Amino acid sequence: MYTGTALFDLMLPGDSRSLKTKRSYVRPIIAALRKFEVSVAEVGALDRHGRTEIGVAVVAPDAGHVTEVLDACERLVAGRPEVDLLSVRRRLHGDDE
């Protein structure tokens, strides 16, 4: 069994100066990521306007599938025109660890 995680650091548009506006950008991204059957949540920069960190976790029987799912998640987030993807941190955990 393999688990993979990805942490997406995002810059939100300049008009996200309130938490309500911030949520209006974050919620659709989280909803879109859930279509990949992953666990996903806003996990960082919760009190910072204009920034957010979204975490994704996936479990699969083989490392290749974990990598494919995380690649798809990264493409989705990077393809969102309303946000700038600043960085992605990934980890893969397997039976040998």
Side-chain angles (χ1 to χ4, degrees), residues 2-75:
Y2 293 87
T3 58
T5 59
L7 180 64
F8 302 105
D9 184 6
L10 303 173
M11 177 73 72
L12 303 174
D15 69 343
S16 61
R17 300 206 188 284
S18 72
L19 292 178
K20 182 178 180 180
T21 306
K22 180 180 178 178
R23 278 193 304 271
S24 74
Y25 290 110
V26 173
R27 281 185 165 183
I29 294 170
I30 288 175
L33 287 168
R34 285 197 173 122
K35 293 177 183 176
F36 294 110
E37 298 183 358
V38 297
S39 294
V40 59
E42 184 179 12
V43 296
L46 298 173
D47 57 349
R48 292 184 63 195
H49 304 293
R51 291 286 292 273
T52 191
E53 291 181 343
I54 296 176
V56 172
V58 62
V59 178
D62 61 87
H65 184 67
V66 170
T67 301
E68 288 174 15
V69 171
L70 292 179
D71 286 345
C73 290
E74 186 173 340
R75 281 192 301 275

